[in-house]
Amino acid sequence: MPEGDRLDYSDDDGAVSIELGVSRRKLMKQLSAVGLAGGLTSFAGCSSLRSDDATETEQSTPADDGGSSDSSGQGGNDSEIPPFTRVPLVPPPTRDSLDLSEPQDPERHMAFVVHNGTNQFFTPVIAGMNDALNKLGWTGEFVGPNGNNQSKQVEIMNTKISSLEANHDLLGTTVLDASSYAAPVKRAMDKGVTVVQYNTTVNDWDFDFMMEEFGNVLPYVGQNQFPAGNAVGITAYEKAQEKLGSDTQLTVLPCIGVPGHPALQARTDGIVNAIGAQDNVEVLEQLNVSTDVSQATTRVNDAYQANNDINVILGSGFWGPAAAAKLVENEGLQDEIIVGGFDLPESTLNGIQNGTVTFTVGQDPYSQGFQPVMLGYEYVDRGIPMKDYITGVEIVDESNVEFAVQRSGSWPDLRSWQKNNY
């Protein structure tokens, strides 16, 4: 993540830990300690995808409902059988105490572990977690490394699993690859700790893998990134048709912050897949802009100076659009270049307002915090199998940016309300 979006925090363990489900005052003190209590508009989060069948790039478009899908039938006329969501009826670890004739709804604890505890994207995620925990009377905590650190996250997961009560508590986690996270997740589930994925998952954790490895399907709450990338590509093409004319040859520069990252690469592949299939389009090789905005600005500017035919710049995060906005502003290209990407940082929303950015796509971070708690409750206290909750594609452009700014700026108001009502 860029230097400006990295929050200053450190402790002896190199981890960020925030207790959730507590009074708003106590939560605010914790958030202030890690720099999350201020402006909440710098959302630069990432997530990956749940899909069923890999393409040549190992990314694919999943079923519309985002669930793990299967198909069966009698065949006939080579017609494709629509996908459907498979939901295994696996009893929860609370089965022995589950009595729907006289439900007890005990207080539970849910630990949320993330791969980057200092990314401000997770501020609205925390707000969603806290709302849900308080509605149920549960407690919880948000824990992550000081910076983006996958191995440290796995270490934190193992520590938290040891502290959670067997057949009672829950764990929410982001998953960045198929191998590193399998052992701690299996350990948690063998202990009777219910596990939910949020914000980030990987293509390899499909239905068959999870049933064989864990004996149950872990739900995923977040955006499906390959389809979201398709949405960015299609939207960019439509915007170019409107702004530059239907006969204009488009030269597209796709930008990525971390090549090969499961979410960012899936988004980029989706962008290229969609816009590359349109008429009069040349897609250039993806540009590694890094996760530093100043570095990204230099690299995008150099790419444009080397090829002035570039008239569409699309990012799989906010770094590409941030850099492209600087180029548009400095060169006076507001009427000549389409700029789009992901997430709702303040710089991107301001760019849409002043015309240096054309559009962006949000991924609903609030629901990525709220829904894992509710899915867990349905399972452990009502016996309802958990299912994926796909947060979808939220396109923000000049037609609705004012409300997007209003909503992002209202997160502190929500916190104040929570403080007065919890």
Side-chain angles (χ1 to χ4, degrees):
M1 73 191 297
E3 184 176 345
D5 283 349
R6 190 181 183 283
L7 307 180
D8 292 328
Y9 178 79
S10 63
D11 62 14
D12 293 339
D13 295 326
V16 174
S17 179
I18 298 173
E19 186 180 6
L20 300 177
V22 297
S23 70
R24 205 58 196 164
R25 184 172 288 103
K26 186 171 183 180
L27 179 66
M28 286 295 290
K29 288 181 179 179
Q30 296 179 88
L31 294 176
S32 295
V34 296
L36 288 173
L40 306 181
T41 53
S42 297
F43 306 157
C46 300
S47 60
S48 189
L49 76 162
R50 171 76 59 79
S51 59
D52 305 309
D53 299 301
T55 65
E56 293 178 358
T57 59
E58 296 187 358
Q59 310 296 345
S60 67
T61 303
D64 290 343
D65 61 5
S68 302
S69 60
D70 193 7
S71 59
S72 60
Q74 302 301 317
N77 300 325
D78 295 325
S79 60
E80 183 177 348
I81 299 172
F84 55 85
T85 302
R86 298 172 65 184
V87 181
L89 186 58
V90 177
T94 54
R95 176 179 184 174
D96 292 343
S97 61
L98 193 65
D99 182 1
L100 298 186
S101 66
E102 192 174 350
Q104 300 301 311
D105 289 357
E107 178 182 311
R108 301 187 186 279
H109 185 83
M110 188 164 186
F112 295 87
V113 184
V114 71
H115 54 279
N116 188 343
T118 51
N119 190 331
Q120 285 194 1
F121 170 84
F122 289 106
T123 301
V125 177
I126 292 171
M129 293 171 180
N130 203 61
D131 268 349
L133 290 167
N134 276 273
K135 288 181 182 300
L136 296 177
W138 291 7
T139 59
E141 57 190 318
F142 173 88
V143 191
N146 180 23
N148 191 3
N149 190 326
Q150 179 176 323
S151 61
K152 183 64 178 180
Q153 180 198 4
V154 172
E155 178 185 330
I156 293 171
M157 284 176 64
N158 282 313
T159 299
K160 289 303 167 187
I161 291 166
S162 296
S163 68
L164 295 174
E165 182 178 346
N167 303 319
H168 187 275
D169 291 338
L170 302 90
L171 172 70
T173 185
T174 57
V175 175
L176 271 65
D177 68 53
S179 59
S180 301
Y181 296 79
V185 167
K186 181 171 176 53
R187 178 169 167 250
M189 297 185 72
D190 287 346
K191 182 178 179 178
V193 172
T194 296
V195 182
V196 180
Q197 303 175 87
Y198 69 103
N199 179 259
T200 312
T201 186
V202 289
N203 196 40
D204 294 335
W205 281 26
D206 58 15
F207 182 95
D208 292 335
F209 171 86
M210 288 187 287
M211 289 301 295
E212 181 176 351
E213 189 79 11
F214 309 130
N216 202 354
V217 171
L218 282 63
Y220 165 61
V221 179
Q223 193 175 61
N224 270 340
Q225 300 305 336
F226 184 81
N230 276 270
V232 168
I234 291 297
T235 301
Y237 184 76
E238 293 173 347
K239 297 291 186 183
Q241 295 275 294
E242 297 170 4
K243 188 173 185 177
L244 307 180
S246 59
D247 295 329
T248 301
Q249 172 69 33
L250 301 183
T251 302
V252 182
L253 177 66
C255 302
I256 186 169
V258 184
H261 182 284
L264 301 179
Q265 195 63 61
R267 291 174 172 180
T268 304
D269 292 343
I271 290 170
V272 172
N273 175 69
I275 199 166
Q278 311 306 314
D279 295 331
N280 301 323
V281 174
E282 177 189 6
V283 180
L284 304 178
E285 182 179 353
Q286 70 178 30
L287 176 67
N288 176 8
V289 295
S290 84
T291 57
D292 179 270
V293 172
S294 62
Q295 185 68 251
T297 300
T298 298
R299 294 180 182 182
V300 168
N301 181 72
D302 290 348
Y304 179 75
Q305 299 307 328
N307 186 350
N308 289 158
D309 290 336
I310 294 172
N311 50 12
V312 179
I313 302 177
L314 303 174
S316 56
F318 84 96
W319 308 284
K326 289 287 187 182
L327 171 69
V328 170
E329 180 180 3
N330 293 339
E331 300 288 337
L333 300 172
Q334 285 84 346
D335 297 327
E336 300 176 34
I337 291 184
I338 302 298
V339 175
F342 281 83
D343 295 323
L344 310 177
E346 185 176 9
S347 60
T348 297
L349 296 179
N350 289 343
I352 294 174
Q353 289 179 310
N354 64 34
T356 57
V357 177
T358 312
F359 72 96
T360 191
V361 166
Q363 57 173 302
D364 188 6
Y366 178 88
S367 290
Q368 293 179 20
F370 188 91
Q371 294 300 334
V373 181
M374 293 303 172
L375 289 172
Y377 168 77
E378 288 184 356
Y379 187 50
V380 299
D381 286 328
R382 293 295 181 268
I384 305 301
M386 297 182 292
K387 310 162 187 71
D388 289 357
Y389 184 99
I390 304 305
T391 56
V393 173
E394 181 183 79
I395 297 175
V396 178
D397 58 17
E398 61 181 0
S399 70
N400 55 12
V401 66
E402 298 304 326
F403 176 69
V405 171
Q406 175 190 345
R407 182 185 60 185
S408 295
S410 295
W411 289 116
D413 295 333
L414 172 60
R415 290 185 169 187
S416 296
W417 181 89
Q418 292 173 328
K419 177 180 177 180
N420 295 327
N421 288 273
Y422 289 162

